[in-house]
Amino acid sequence: MKGAAPGGWIATASLAAGSLAAPLLPQVPGPGWLGLAVCIGLILLPLRNTRAFGLALLAGCWSLWTFHLALQDRLSAGRAGEVLSVTGTVVSLPEKHPDYTRFRFRPDDATLPRNLLVHWYRERPEVSSGERWRLEVRVRPPWASVNFHGRDRERWLFANHIGAVASVRKGEFLQAANGPGSLPG
């Protein structure tokens, strides 16, 4: 390509390879190991012969750190089945199905995951994005059954930063959305 830096494709390929290699590890390394790998990657960057490896290492560390943060924001197995009273905000457009309504809910309680996938089965009112509710929910970790011939629901939950799945037992409307089409950050 005219005007492109010589060897620029190597940097792009290194970043892609590092990012794509990260999910192949059997487990996510702890923050200490990731910090050490970042230091090594930074040492390798200025050296022309090892720059591509340094870039791949840094990209892999970035991906693994993202995985680490997502795993930290999940409901622990010990809390499975707990019934909680949770106040928070609806942060997605509710999906209305014949038997239930499903939406993402951001609780105010910092001890809970940042995003809950909520299913409301019985006596469900109209729910809109941006509304605040107090819900009594039964929570469970974002696990799913193994399905060898279909989509991987647990992977979908992880990729969408869902830290727990909940079903509503009862709810109390608290406040309407701030404005049309408003979703909290």
Side-chain angles (χ1 to χ4, degrees), residues 52-67:
F53 183 69
L55 285 171
L57 193 57
L58 290 173
C61 288
W62 180 264
S63 295
L64 290 168
W65 182 249
T66 303
F67 297 164

Side-chain angles (χ1 to χ4, degrees):
M1 259 195 321
K2 195 172 188 176
W9 68 271
I10 294 172
T12 304
S14 298
L15 292 170
S19 296
L20 294 172
L24 300 177
L25 292 176
Q27 66 183 30
V28 177
W33 287 109
L34 288 176
L36 178 64
V38 166
C39 291
I40 293 169
L42 291 173
I43 290 169
L44 296 175
L45 275 183
L47 306 173
R48 185 174 193 174
N49 293 337
T50 58
R51 183 171 297 139
F53 183 69
L55 285 171
L57 193 57
L58 290 173
C61 288
W62 180 264
S63 295
L64 290 168
W65 182 249
T66 303
F67 297 164
H68 177 75
L69 292 177
L71 289 170
Q72 295 301 310
D73 190 36
R74 291 174 64 139
L75 187 73
S76 67
R79 296 187 72 182
E82 279 186 26
V83 176
L84 307 170
S85 179
V86 180
T87 301
T89 308
V90 176
V91 292
S92 70
L93 295 174
E95 299 173 25
K96 295 174 177 78
H97 299 274
D99 298 334
Y100 64 94
T101 300
R102 180 172 77 174
F103 54 90
R104 292 184 195 185
F105 190 73
R106 178 150 310 141
D108 296 338
D109 185 350
T111 64
L112 291 173
R114 185 170 159 84
N115 288 303
L116 306 179
L117 183 61
V118 173
H119 294 83
W120 199 326
Y121 292 99
R122 288 179 253 134
E123 302 170 11
R124 56 188 203 262
E126 286 294 317
V127 178
S128 297
S129 63
E131 292 180 341
R132 295 196 39 80
W133 286 81
R134 180 175 298 114
L135 303 175
E136 183 178 299
V137 294
R138 180 179 304 275
V139 293
R140 65 180 177 84
W143 297 333
S145 303
V146 175
N147 184 354
F148 293 108
H149 301 291
R151 67 184 200 133
D152 186 342
R153 181 156 172 80
E154 190 167 343
R155 180 181 288 179
W156 181 87
L157 292 167
F158 182 79
N160 286 280
H161 304 283
I162 305 293
V165 178
S167 58
V168 177
R169 299 178 72 145
K170 62 182 175 179
E172 175 188 351
F173 176 79
L174 298 177
Q175 181 182 351
N178 292 334
S182 65
L183 285 175

